[in-house]
Amino acid sequence: MSLIDQLKEQMKAAMRAKQKVRLGTIRMALAAIKQIEVDTRESLNDDQAIAVLTKMVKQRRDSIAQYAAAGRDELAQIEADEIQVLEEFLPQPLTEEEIVVLVDASISEMGASSMADMGKVMGSLKPKVMGRADMAAIGAMIRAKLK
């Protein structure tokens, strides 16, 4: 079953269970996916849908930081609840050790020896870690290892 089908099934379940926050969050995710499908005129596969959900989680984390800084804890809590629902549909995050192993393997596989090779290493890692790790943190790790 595709990720989009899972979202639709869970939306129906949330409707039946009258779970407002869950229902609203899933509808928002499906709307974001549908908007991209309309814009690009093609159906999204699971990897592309995961990228959309990952972006939504990142946006909500940024919002939480801004709301917390402004003292709006009730709005930050709403965003945190939405993150919790969205993360159910994302793959399990990689552990720090798994990330280190993947980065080391990719560096040796690409024969990377300087910062000029960073793009190749990032390109080879992106499909392996999409939705499972923060690319900025991985970039920093690669930078540290190639210096």
Side-chain angles (χ1 to χ4, degrees):
M1 179 185 290
S2 76
L3 179 61
I4 295 170
D5 292 337
Q6 287 177 349
L7 283 165
K8 289 177 182 176
E9 287 299 316
Q10 289 300 314
M11 181 178 72
K12 291 175 192 172
M15 272 190 242
R16 287 187 207 107
K18 295 180 175 40
Q19 298 170 321
K20 283 185 175 182
V21 173
R22 184 173 176 78
L23 177 61
T25 304
I26 293 171
R27 279 184 173 158
M28 193 174 8
L30 285 169
I33 290 169
K34 187 68 173 171
Q35 182 63 50
I36 291 173
E37 288 180 339
V38 168
D39 290 348
T40 61
R41 296 184 180 166
E42 57 186 46
S43 295
L44 297 185
N45 61 31
D46 278 356
D47 289 339
Q48 293 165 321
I50 287 171
V52 171
L53 295 181
T54 302
K55 183 177 178 184
M56 291 177 73
V57 168
K58 184 178 184 317
Q59 289 169 338
R60 272 143 195 78
R61 285 199 174 109
D62 293 343
S63 296
I64 287 173
Q66 291 173 0
Y67 287 143
R72 301 293 309 264
D73 294 333
E74 70 283 357
L75 294 175
Q77 184 58 48
I78 291 169
E79 298 289 325
D81 293 342
E82 290 177 359
I83 287 174
Q84 194 172 15
V85 172
L86 291 171
E87 284 182 336
E88 289 177 33
F89 300 99
L90 292 173
Q92 286 288 30
L94 293 169
T95 64
E96 187 73 27
E97 296 82 33
E98 291 172 320
I99 293 171
V100 170
V101 168
L102 283 171
V103 168
D104 289 343
S106 187
I107 287 174
S108 63
E109 187 179 299
M110 293 289 135
S113 58
S114 69
M115 288 300 292
D117 300 322
M118 185 164 171
K120 289 192 289 187
V121 175
M122 288 290 283
S124 73
L125 276 173
K126 193 169 186 172
K128 297 175 189 170
V129 299
M130 184 57 127
R132 300 180 68 197
D134 180 25
M135 288 305 290
I138 290 175
M141 188 183 295
I142 294 169
R143 220 173 275 114
K145 289 181 183 279
L146 291 180
K147 280 188 176 175

